[in-house]
Amino acid sequence: MGLFERYLSVWVGLGILLGVALGSLIPELFNAVAALEYANVNLVIAVFIWIMIYPMMVQIDFSAIKQVGREPKGLVLTLVVNWLIKPFTMALLGWLFFRVLFADWVDAQTATEYIAGMILLGVAPCTAMVFVWSQLTKGDANYTLVQVSVNDLIMVFAFAPITALLLGVSDISVPWPTLVLSVLLYVVLPLVAGVLTRKKLQQNPNPDALPQFLARIKPWSVLGLLATVVLLFGLQAPTILSQPVAIVLIAIPLLLQTYGIFALSYYSACRLKLPHNIAAPASMIGASNFFELAVAVAISLFGLHSGAALATVVGVLVEVPVMLSLVWYANKTRRYFPNADLSKDTQA
């Protein structure tokens, strides 16, 4: 691991400060960037995330995907945590903090909206950023793709009914353009590009062509992450500076949820004796969120300036630094897991 990656958390911290500073100094620039969106998906952020994901997609070996069936427990763990546990623990934490612990600090209507925003985050498992966390923990690229794809498929059918159940609202409308566009931009397009790139490199008579290419493009993944951090915090700088107390109050239960779900998943993976390159990404998927979908639904149900929309935005802001801390922990505890790989390319 190079010096740049070794101190990635430091660069992310500097990126957060830079984003907030730039967002407050030149808000017109970030307003212009914010306007470049379609179906609630910001196209500039999409480009940065695409840059993050593409290096991992080149590692996908379709001939090895069939071997995912050798470790079905990892997929079962992901599905149980994401759909039978995570939405309900998020709802419970929202109720505990904003109906009980913070009841004197937040009025009832705002508390309801904060809880709703948290629930929306809890019902939307990660689609894009998990590829980055998987790569940083040397996760199995093929297995991660299958986990994300199955989650996306289930999300099509389960997101609306679970959200309706937990919010107590019967008329939940899934923003299909946001869901479909996000999956296309964050999974399908980079996957197709990665597969085509890999096929071309494998046709090269030089047997080192693929690993050499992966080594060259790997830094772009980190640069894309840092650019995303600067942009996200720049876009939300006015909110961060104008409502710091609200952001802290919302962040506390979100942090407990993220670390708690990761701890449950990671411990379960250890007890199931899953290889680390499956256990770490499986735990990361449960801990992170599909924030574009959550933000879009919050805005459609409660309005752009609602507490629900703010809660989903706070979820976006805390995700990167928190997930990096989990990446660090996962890498430090690798020795407690079996080290079997499902594919020979996951360490590239």
Side-chain angles (χ1 to χ4, degrees):
M1 183 177 291
L3 180 66
F4 189 69
E5 290 178 303
R6 190 186 305 273
Y7 295 100
L8 182 56
S9 58
V10 175
W11 312 134
V12 168
L14 294 175
I16 291 172
L17 295 176
L18 179 61
V20 173
L22 292 177
S24 59
L25 292 174
I26 45 175
E28 59 277 1
L29 172 62
F30 287 90
N31 290 336
V33 172
L36 298 174
E37 68 172 29
Y38 180 78
N40 293 293
V41 177
N42 187 275
L43 301 182
V44 179
I45 292 178
V47 170
F48 290 155
I49 291 180
W50 200 93
I51 292 172
M52 280 189 280
I53 293 173
Y54 171 70
M56 186 173 183
M57 291 306 193
V58 179
Q59 299 178 48
I60 301 295
D61 180 5
F62 271 92
S63 65
I65 284 184
K66 60 176 181 264
Q67 299 183 46
V68 167
R70 295 181 183 178
E71 286 286 359
K73 292 182 290 185
L75 186 58
V76 172
L77 174 64
T78 301
L79 298 181
V80 169
V81 169
N82 278 281
W83 299 106
L84 299 182
I85 298 176
K86 180 182 175 182
F88 304 96
T89 56
M90 185 72 94
L92 177 62
L93 283 172
W95 174 85
L96 175 63
F97 277 86
F98 289 105
R99 292 299 186 202
V100 181
L101 301 179
F102 296 159
D104 293 335
W105 297 353
V106 181
D107 64 83
Q109 178 59 36
T110 302
T112 298
E113 293 182 0
Y114 287 169
I115 295 170
M118 292 176 58
I119 289 172
L120 291 172
L121 288 169
V123 188
C126 188
T127 288
M129 297 290 283
V130 69
F131 289 109
V132 182
W133 314 136
S134 179
Q135 178 170 278
L136 291 174
T137 56
K138 293 182 169 59
D140 185 290
N142 304 308
Y143 208 102
T144 302
L145 174 64
V146 172
Q147 289 173 309
V148 169
S149 300
V150 173
N151 258 336
D152 287 343
L153 181 62
I154 292 177
M155 197 182 319
V156 170
F157 301 99
F159 178 84
I162 294 178
T163 301
L165 172 66
L166 293 176
L167 292 183
V169 178
S170 58
D171 187 21
I172 297 293
S173 176
V174 176
W176 294 109
T178 301
L179 180 57
V180 173
L181 181 61
S182 296
V183 172
L184 284 174
L185 287 177
Y186 302 150
V187 180
V188 177
L189 287 181
L191 177 61
V192 170
V195 169
L196 293 177
T197 302
R198 184 185 182 90
K199 183 177 180 181
K200 182 70 174 177
L201 291 169
Q202 287 178 328
Q203 293 172 349
N204 192 310
N206 178 10
D208 295 325
L210 178 58
Q212 288 174 353
F213 180 76
L214 287 170
R216 288 198 302 270
I217 65 173
K218 187 176 181 180
W220 285 98
S221 182
V222 177
L223 291 174
L225 173 62
L226 295 177
T228 302
V229 169
V230 173
L231 184 55
L232 287 174
F233 278 82
L235 291 171
Q236 301 302 328
T239 301
I240 294 171
L241 297 175
S242 64
Q243 302 186 63
V245 174
I247 288 174
V248 170
L249 293 181
I250 297 169
I252 292 173
L254 289 181
L255 290 173
L256 288 175
Q257 165 79 359
T258 302
Y259 285 117
I261 288 295
F262 176 85
L264 173 64
S265 303
Y266 205 56
Y267 175 75
S268 299
C270 186
R271 293 301 300 266
L272 291 171
K273 301 187 184 304
L274 291 176
H276 188 268
N277 62 350
I278 294 175
S283 304
M284 299 291 173
I285 292 174
S288 51
N289 305 297
F290 186 175
F291 56 78
E292 292 89 354
L293 182 62
V295 171
V297 177
I299 292 173
S300 66
L301 287 178
F302 299 95
L304 178 62
H305 302 291
S306 65
L310 177 62
T312 57
V313 167
V314 175
V316 176
L317 298 179
V318 302
E319 175 160 325
V320 173
V322 170
M323 294 305 297
L324 281 175
S325 71
L326 294 178
V327 165
W328 173 86
Y329 180 79
N331 286 331
K332 285 290 185 181
T333 54
R334 188 184 306 275
R335 65 185 182 276
Y336 297 111
F337 292 80
N339 198 28
D341 289 330
L342 291 184
S343 73
K344 64 184 179 181
D345 296 315
T346 56
Q347 303 301 321

